[in-house]
Amino acid sequence: MRRESGVSHCQGFPHESMKVGIIGGTGVYDSRWLATAERLEVQTPYGAVSVTRGRVESCEEAVYFLNRHGQGHHLPPHLVNYRANIWALHHVGVERIVATAAVGSLNAALSPGMSVLCDQFLDFTKFRPGTFFEGGTNGVVHTDMTEPYCSDLRAVLFEHAEAVGLRAVNGGCYVTTEGPRFETPAEIRAFRMLGGDVVGMTSVPEVVLARELGLCYATVALVTNYAAGMSPDYLTHQEVLDLMGQYQGSLNQLIRTSLPSMQQHRDCHCVR
Ligand code: HPA
């Protein structure tokens, strides 16, 4: 471990290393894929956050893991403390974040079991605190959102997806709804007309807050179902959980195999 010098010898290549944070979404609660794990309680201006610091075998730099829905999925998407989570990861030194998310598909070509490395979002949230900048000491800041999801992280994840058995698409528009209810078929038709590819309840404000702090952020959005009205069946949370359970191992594996590249010095537009 060479944090003092800021240099890691991940896979034998000396380079300046980045701390990577993982935000597990629905169905991704497990940090047992880490070789070592230690629980940290990080105090933030928005509340305390429990973060697991661990390591993977192929790399010496620490990885930081949290589940956005908390222990036992007790927080619904509209009540997740997004600001505390992103602030906590930033506070422990994380510079790049990979999140997982369960999503419904609006696009017939994106079938359940596929992964979308989103590159755009549409924001239909309503009541969530969505910024660190509310005037006062933090000031008034208007953060650029031209490229909300880091193209370098997406490229790395895309490169490794096939080898771990994930059918991935690099690019797609994530429509974020307030939830916790699912959408009506009329809403889904409208989102499709607007250019949405997948729908979920969590990417906003997570990606926005990461951008506000100059962190790289990518989402692996796993399609668990066709969205309301596109599927002949009514939607259930159980089918979302079942599909996520089926792919949890592949998602963990994707993150583990992508880590050495993600920890390399970043040369993207995300640094503020
Ligand atoms: N809508 C919103 N969120 C979701 C869905 C959906 O169809 N599937 C998984 N998360």
Side-chain angles (χ1 to χ4, degrees):
M1 181 60 195
R2 295 170 212 275
R3 271 314 287 169
E4 329 73 73
S5 65
V7 173
S8 150
H9 289 258
C10 208
Q11 291 199 331
F13 299 106
H15 54 74
E16 219 182 305
S17 59
M18 303 280 112
K19 284 182 176 157
V20 174
I22 315 295
I23 300 182
T26 297
V28 182
Y29 313 107
D30 188 3
S31 54
R32 277 177 295 182
W33 56 278
L34 297 169
T36 64
E38 128 193 47
R39 186 66 66 86
L40 312 173
E41 191 80 356
V42 183
Q43 303 301 325
T44 83
Y46 309 98
V49 178
S50 180
V51 178
T52 301
R53 175 168 56 200
R55 300 191 181 284
V56 294
E57 317 79 42
S58 55
C59 207
E60 294 182 12
E61 183 57 89
V63 174
Y64 294 80
F65 175 86
L66 63 85
N67 183 278
R68 76 166 67 84
H69 298 284
Q71 301 264 292
H73 200 115
H74 69 282
L75 289 171
H78 64 299
L79 296 180
V80 169
N81 196 341
Y82 295 96
R83 288 193 294 189
N85 288 348
I86 297 295
W87 200 96
L89 290 176
H90 182 248
H91 183 69
V92 297
V94 161
E95 290 176 82
R96 305 190 115 168
I97 295 175
V98 178
T100 70
V103 292
S105 171
L106 309 175
N107 178 334
L110 300 173
S111 53
M114 290 179 76
S115 301
V116 183
L117 302 164
C118 303
D119 66 344
Q120 286 294 314
F121 67 75
L122 286 166
D123 179 9
F124 283 90
T125 63
K126 294 175 186 160
F127 309 117
R128 322 171 170 191
T131 180
F132 289 114
F133 300 115
E134 298 187 306
T137 49
N138 287 348
V140 176
V141 175
H142 302 286
T143 305
D144 177 76
M145 286 292 143
T146 305
E147 194 172 57
Y149 301 90
C150 175
S151 54
D152 285 10
L153 284 186
R154 288 195 288 113
V156 168
L157 291 161
F158 183 66
E159 187 188 316
H160 289 86
E162 197 182 325
V164 302
L166 285 174
R167 277 181 304 148
V169 173
N170 193 357
C173 181
Y174 184 128
V175 180
T176 311
T177 60
E178 183 65 17
R181 66 169 176 84
F182 288 120
E183 303 71 36
T184 63
E187 288 170 325
I188 294 301
R189 282 196 299 276
F191 295 153
R192 287 178 67 174
M193 285 163 64
L194 292 174
D197 292 297
V198 294
V199 59
M201 305 175 190
T202 55
S203 202
V204 178
E206 211 167 75
V207 60
V208 174
L209 295 165
R211 293 301 313 116
E212 285 189 343
L213 296 184
L215 309 178
C216 298
Y217 180 96
T219 288
V220 186
L222 192 90
V223 176
T224 56
N225 55 279
Y226 280 114
M230 292 179 66
S231 148
D233 305 316
Y234 289 177
L235 304 184
T236 66
H237 186 51
Q238 193 55 49
E239 70 180 303
V240 172
L241 292 177
D242 289 348
L243 206 120
M244 287 309 288
Q246 216 177 306
Y247 284 89
Q248 182 180 356
S250 306
L251 287 173
N252 290 343
Q253 178 83 345
L254 174 61
I255 291 167
R256 191 167 56 211
T257 55
S258 304
L259 264 175
S261 304
M262 295 196 294
Q263 288 180 339
Q264 283 177 27
H265 179 73
R266 58 181 177 157
D267 187 21
C268 48
H269 292 289
C270 304
V271 190
R272 201 155 64 89

